[in-house]
Amino acid sequence: MRILIVEDDVNLRRQLNEAMGSAGYVVDQASDGEEGHFLGDTESYDAVILDVGLPKMDGISVLERWRREGRSMPVILLTARDRWSDKVAGIDAGADDYVAKPFHMEEVLARVRALIRRAAGHSSSEIHCGPLRLDTKASKASLDGAPLKLTSHEYRLLSYLMHHQGELVSRTELIEHMYDQDFDRDSNTIEVFIGRLRRKIGNELIETVRGLGYRMQHPG
């Protein structure tokens, strides 16, 4: 899963980046509204953490432009605790959630997980596909109750496919959601990771749709 953080406070942006990275997310960052708007308009994200008080373009304006342009990714606004008007304006502009500063990082992580799950149609922190279980809170997976040893890239790929199980997911979509903007993106690496996953979870859970991509679903 890929996250965009738009925050001008250097220390807070670093803390958010470290927390999201440790939770298994791929993270892109922007320090002002103009850069944040550009990234959100040109890249694919599973969720955005957007500060309201940004230089060059404020967070509400960034969000309003995204929604007018048809960008529907979940957005969490970071607001000042005493600025209730920011919360109202943010929700009216299309925010999915907000967190008031100062906040506990675990709260932001929980809200990000919830937004991504809901956007994919899942209500629980655990996602199942036959014998396969994904614990989004702990960032762990198991097969028939036995823990799976996965690399970070394998986990990201499995997580995205399980969040979107039953859907046809193209190689391009997987690349966009697995790697940050600076990564040398090569579609052949997706095939390598699919092969590694199949060796760990079996061949029957991930279907290859020739020329189009992959679909995860329980064959039964």
Side-chain angles (χ1 to χ4, degrees):
M1 297 293 177
R2 191 173 172 201
I3 306 293
L4 173 62
I5 298 170
V6 190
E7 169 60 62
D8 62 319
D9 184 290
V10 175
N11 288 330
L12 181 55
R13 190 171 67 248
R14 175 183 55 79
Q15 292 168 9
L16 285 165
N17 178 57
E18 290 176 354
M20 295 296 150
S22 296
Y25 297 109
V26 176
V27 183
D28 288 340
Q29 304 176 55
S31 58
D32 63 68
E34 287 185 357
E35 182 185 12
H37 171 265
F38 174 78
L39 288 175
D41 196 41
T42 57
E43 299 285 342
S44 296
Y45 295 103
D46 297 288
V48 178
I49 300 171
L50 176 66
D51 186 31
V52 170
L54 293 168
K56 297 187 179 181
M57 186 191 306
D58 67 86
I60 302 298
S61 298
V62 171
L63 179 57
E64 288 176 337
R65 287 186 62 179
W66 280 339
R67 296 313 191 215
R68 283 199 304 270
E69 293 157 354
R71 305 297 290 177
S72 59
M73 63 281 196
V75 174
I76 297 177
L77 283 183
L78 303 182
T79 71
R81 185 170 295 280
D82 58 349
R83 290 292 299 275
W84 62 267
S85 57
D86 285 344
K87 302 170 187 176
V88 173
I91 291 172
D92 286 342
D96 299 273
D97 202 353
Y98 66 83
V99 179
K101 298 179 182 179
F103 51 77
H104 292 287
M105 201 60 67
E106 282 299 325
E107 178 184 1
V108 179
L109 283 166
R111 289 176 182 271
V112 167
R113 289 194 299 267
L115 283 183
I116 291 175
R117 287 198 313 269
R118 288 201 294 268
H122 302 283
S123 58
S124 171
S125 62
E126 292 187 0
I127 301 175
H128 297 263
C129 182
L132 194 58
R133 171 178 169 268
L134 185 76
D135 184 341
T136 62
K137 183 177 180 181
S139 299
K140 295 180 179 179
S142 61
L143 182 69
D144 289 320
L148 284 171
K149 293 183 179 180
L150 303 173
T151 66
S152 60
H153 282 87
E154 289 167 355
Y155 177 81
R156 290 170 189 164
L157 176 58
L158 179 64
S159 176
Y160 194 82
L161 289 173
M162 287 195 68
H163 273 83
H164 298 276
Q165 60 184 283
E167 302 175 20
L168 178 61
V169 181
S170 69
R171 289 181 178 85
T172 300
E173 183 177 346
L174 288 171
I175 291 169
E176 288 177 342
H177 290 266
M178 280 185 64
Y179 303 120
D180 62 37
Q181 65 189 105
D182 298 323
F183 191 87
D184 183 15
R185 300 172 182 179
D186 181 358
S187 63
N188 291 328
T189 61
I190 295 297
E191 296 180 12
V192 172
F193 289 127
I194 289 288
R196 291 180 182 175
L197 271 181
R198 282 175 169 154
R199 286 194 290 272
K200 294 180 179 182
I201 68 173
N203 294 322
E204 68 278 3
L205 294 177
I206 302 176
E207 174 192 5
T208 297
V209 182
R210 188 176 298 275
L212 295 175
Y214 304 96
R215 181 186 292 113
M216 170 166 272
Q217 58 187 2
H218 188 240

